[in-house]
Amino acid sequence: MKEGVIRFQYVLRADAASPSPEADELIQVRQLLFDAGMIGVGADGVGYGNASVRTSAGFLITASQTGKKAHLTCEDLVHVDAIVDGVLQATGVLPPS
């Protein structure tokens, strides 16, 4: 099984995640994981590792293939709003991971 690719269906409403305490927390924790080498990109060029945090309306996750980025912003996050009929409903600029 090939890793590092999206294996689910999703509908993405294109809009950057809003700044929030949860987004700040996620970006800070992800930075610690990146600095520790737990998030990054493999020799094959595929990013690995992600992070998430619950919100009152779902959860925020780091977007797909952001492992190569040394520093994230809200545009690198995706808010998972719901799962409807097995399809993930999300809001963000990049695909969910």
Side-chain angles (χ1 to χ4, degrees):
M1 177 181 284
K2 184 177 178 183
E3 293 296 322
V5 294
I6 297 171
R7 299 192 187 285
F8 55 87
Q9 291 183 324
Y10 65 91
V11 174
L12 186 65
R13 184 173 64 90
D15 192 14
S18 299
S20 67
E22 294 90 354
D24 291 343
E25 177 185 12
L26 179 55
I27 290 169
Q28 290 173 3
V29 169
R30 190 271 185 187
Q31 187 65 53
L32 293 172
L33 295 170
F34 181 87
D35 292 344
M38 300 174 85
I39 291 178
V41 76
D44 59 0
V46 176
Y48 60 87
N50 60 28
S52 63
V53 64
R54 286 184 186 261
T55 69
S56 61
F59 60 95
L60 278 172
I61 60 174
T62 52
S64 185
Q65 296 302 312
T66 54
K68 64 185 172 286
K69 297 185 82 171
H71 302 283
L72 298 188
T73 68
C74 284
E75 290 191 358
D76 300 305
L77 305 179
V78 180
H79 191 270
V80 175
D81 306 311
I83 298 174
V84 178
D85 295 327
V87 179
L88 188 132
Q89 309 292 311
T91 303
V93 178
L94 301 170
S97 177

